[in-house]
Amino acid sequence: MNVLGIETSCDETAIAVVRDGRQILSNVVASQVEMHARYGGVVPELASRQHVEAITLVLDEALERAHCRLADIDAVAVTTGPGLAGALLVGANFGKALAYVRSLPMVAVNHLEGHIYAAWLDVEREPRFPALCLTVSGGHSDIVLMSGHGRYHRLGQTVDDAAGEAFDKVGRLLGLGFPGGPAVERLAARSGATTLRLPRARLDGAYDFSFSGLKSKVLRLVRGEEGEQPHTDELAAAFQEAVVDSLVTKAVRAVQDHDVRQLILSGGVAANSVLREALADRSPVPLSVPPPLLCTDNGAMVAACGWQRLQAGDVAALDVDVRPGLRIG
Ligand code: KG4
Ligand code: ZN
């Protein structure tokens, strides 16, 4: 079964064709990052307009690369939340139109669930249940217990900034442009060993995160308000180390407390190699983490998730609405 996955929740117009929820036939991502970089972050209205301009071209390219025609598509899966309302609407309406004219079933996919299902794409060994999911992106940082397909219980979340948001804000403070995550990682890699240690938040919620205090600390150091200003590469490395340490410590604790068989790392921040290595080192159970290009937003993860939903008979009505504030678990 060929599922077309459509993703427009933020600043990537992405469409993929995935066979049986696992085999990627094509995965096309048109990034708007250069356009938004001028403004230091994603401008919602510009994102929506750009999705409108790009989406039919992205569809053509996805079909061509998959050596498919529309007639070869068996179902449409589309992200309906969470995300930017206007941006979500473009993909959702495009998906509805395709489903309507081709009389295809349509599945409404939760973007965060989509990130998790990237772990099922093109793998020899599928993740096993129960699994613990650490989902870290520009908008969310969640620790979710996944007891089976489509069954989630959220154990923890960020109480302020998401991990990716913190990377983006610190990237801006260090003059690195947008998005901050990859740029902070590159700068941190140039730093030698550093003695600079930034604070980790202590929180009541055993599996919750907080990154805004860390970001403020970087701001004070950059402004020279705490004595001599550290080198930017050293600051980037210390910041990255603090974020990674918080994420890994809480995820490992959740794994130990819940007797799971698998740890799944996903979302844009999961592209970070320091986080990937630290979690692989410290996880007491096998770690499943998609390659970096499947961690950041893409259509294949939406198709993979949509296929699973279809197996459960979860087809959406064509008047389904977008849900910008949707959560998971
Ligand atoms: O999942 P995603 O592509 O979009 C959202 O759903 O938000 O995640 C984007 C986020 C951005 O904040 C970006 O800075 C961060 O993921 N990111 C990274 C890296 N690559 C992307 N953060 C740290 N290190 C990276 N290599
Ligand atoms: Zn995402």
Side-chain angles (χ1 to χ4, degrees):
M1 181 185 222
N2 293 333
V3 177
L4 190 78
I6 304 173
E7 159 60 44
T8 65
S9 66
C10 192
D11 60 341
E12 328 275 6
T13 317
I15 299 188
V17 181
V18 173
R19 180 164 294 162
D20 296 335
R22 291 174 177 84
Q23 188 192 351
I24 301 177
L25 302 187
S26 68
N27 191 20
V28 178
V29 180
S31 174
Q32 307 177 358
V33 83
E34 274 178 34
M35 182 182 75
H36 297 291
R38 258 178 274 156
Y39 305 96
V42 177
V43 182
E45 179 58 23
L46 292 183
S48 314
R49 292 183 196 187
Q50 192 59 32
H51 286 312
V52 172
E53 284 199 14
I55 199 159
T56 46
L57 298 173
V58 174
L59 172 67
D60 289 346
E61 178 98 22
L63 291 173
E64 195 182 314
R65 286 196 202 171
H67 305 293
C68 275
R69 290 168 307 134
L70 259 186
D72 301 316
I73 299 297
D74 303 300
V76 177
V78 58
T79 301
T80 50
L84 303 169
L88 287 165
L89 276 167
V90 178
N93 287 332
F94 193 74
K96 286 178 189 182
L98 283 176
Y100 179 72
V101 295
R102 303 291 319 168
S103 301
L104 296 173
M106 190 185 84
V107 195
V109 169
N110 177 327
H111 180 80
L112 301 170
E113 212 183 330
H115 272 306
I116 292 171
Y117 273 94
W120 269 261
L121 288 164
D122 284 342
V123 289
E124 276 170 20
R125 247 195 81 229
E126 285 183 13
R128 296 200 289 178
F129 297 124
L132 197 286
C133 309
L134 174 63
T135 306
V136 275
S137 69
H140 297 83
S141 302
D142 293 324
I143 289 189
V144 175
L145 188 61
M146 184 179 188
S147 52
H149 288 297
R151 290 167 54 200
Y152 308 97
H153 173 63
R154 192 172 68 237
L155 301 172
Q157 61 194 320
T158 180
V159 298
D160 40 55
D161 292 347
E165 189 181 357
F167 267 100
D168 292 338
K169 287 178 176 172
V170 165
R172 212 172 300 145
L173 289 177
L174 299 179
L176 302 175
F178 174 82
V184 169
E185 181 179 355
R186 278 194 299 274
L187 185 62
R190 300 216 311 251
S191 158
T194 171
T195 50
L196 180 64
R197 190 181 153 86
L198 299 180
R200 279 74 165 151
R202 291 188 193 285
L203 295 168
D204 292 341
Y207 312 113
D208 285 341
F209 305 109
S210 165
F211 298 113
S212 75
L214 176 61
K215 173 198 63 194
S216 304
K217 176 80 177 178
V218 173
L219 176 65
R220 289 196 297 278
L221 287 165
V222 167
R223 285 182 176 161
E225 290 172 9
E226 301 204 359
E228 200 185 333
Q229 197 182 333
H231 287 296
T232 49
D233 56 357
E234 216 182 333
L235 259 177
F239 163 78
Q240 178 175 256
E241 188 189 292
V243 174
V244 167
D245 189 32
S246 301
L247 294 173
V248 172
T249 301
K250 300 263 166 138
V252 168
R253 184 185 302 161
V255 165
Q256 286 162 341
D257 292 350
H258 292 83
D259 202 17
V260 299
R261 299 168 75 193
Q262 184 85 50
L263 178 57
I264 299 174
L265 171 64
S266 62
V269 181
N272 185 284
S273 61
V274 176
L275 172 61
R276 298 164 75 93
E277 281 162 26
L279 209 52
D281 267 4
R282 285 169 57 187
S283 176
V285 295
L287 173 68
S288 179
V289 53
L293 284 176
L294 293 177
C295 290
T296 46
D297 290 351
N298 64 86
M301 68 186 204
V302 178
C305 180
W307 182 82
Q308 274 304 340
R309 299 267 55 158
L310 273 175
Q311 305 314 298
D314 191 359
V315 176
L318 288 187
D319 63 354
V320 64
D321 223 339
V322 297
R323 298 172 67 190
L326 188 64
R327 301 300 318 257
I328 186 168

